[in-house]
């Protein structure tokens, strides 16, 4: 999710979860320089999800943080 503040600042947030409505999941703040380039690939496994960015950065979120809902 790309957001703008009133001051003109850009920020990026990513939500990892199974709910398309974004009502439950694990939110991750992404550095502006990394988020601006988009996502290169996403790999889902039973243990979690790994997101790779074109900058070479990676984020791994364990499944326990975004499964089993409230």
């Amino acid at each position: 999710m790309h957001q703008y503040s009133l001051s003109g600042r850009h920020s990026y947030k990513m939500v990892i979860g199974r709910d398309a409505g974004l009502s439950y999941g694990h939110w991750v703040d992404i550095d502006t320089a990394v988020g601006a380039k988009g996502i290169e690939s996403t790999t889902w496994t039973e243990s979690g999800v790994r997101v790779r960015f074109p900058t070479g950065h990676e984020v791994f979120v364990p499944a326990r943080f975004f499964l089993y809902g409230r």
Side-chain angles (χ1 to χ4, degrees), residues 41-45 48-52 58-61:
S41 66
T42 306
T43 305
W44 295 83
T45 65
V49 63
R50 181 174 310 282
V51 180
R52 291 183 176 92
E58 293 185 2
V59 173
F60 180 78
V61 179

Side-chain angles (χ1 to χ4, degrees), residues 2-41:
H2 184 198
Q3 297 178 320
Y4 297 96
S5 70
L6 292 176
S7 66
R9 183 172 179 237
H10 297 262
S11 66
Y12 292 87
K13 293 180 184 266
M14 178 173 59
V15 64
I16 307 290
R18 299 185 321 172
D19 178 20
L22 307 179
S23 66
Y24 182 81
H26 185 76
W27 288 85
V28 180
D29 291 320
I30 305 297
D31 183 87
T32 304
V34 174
K37 305 236 183 238
I39 294 173
E40 183 175 291
S41 66

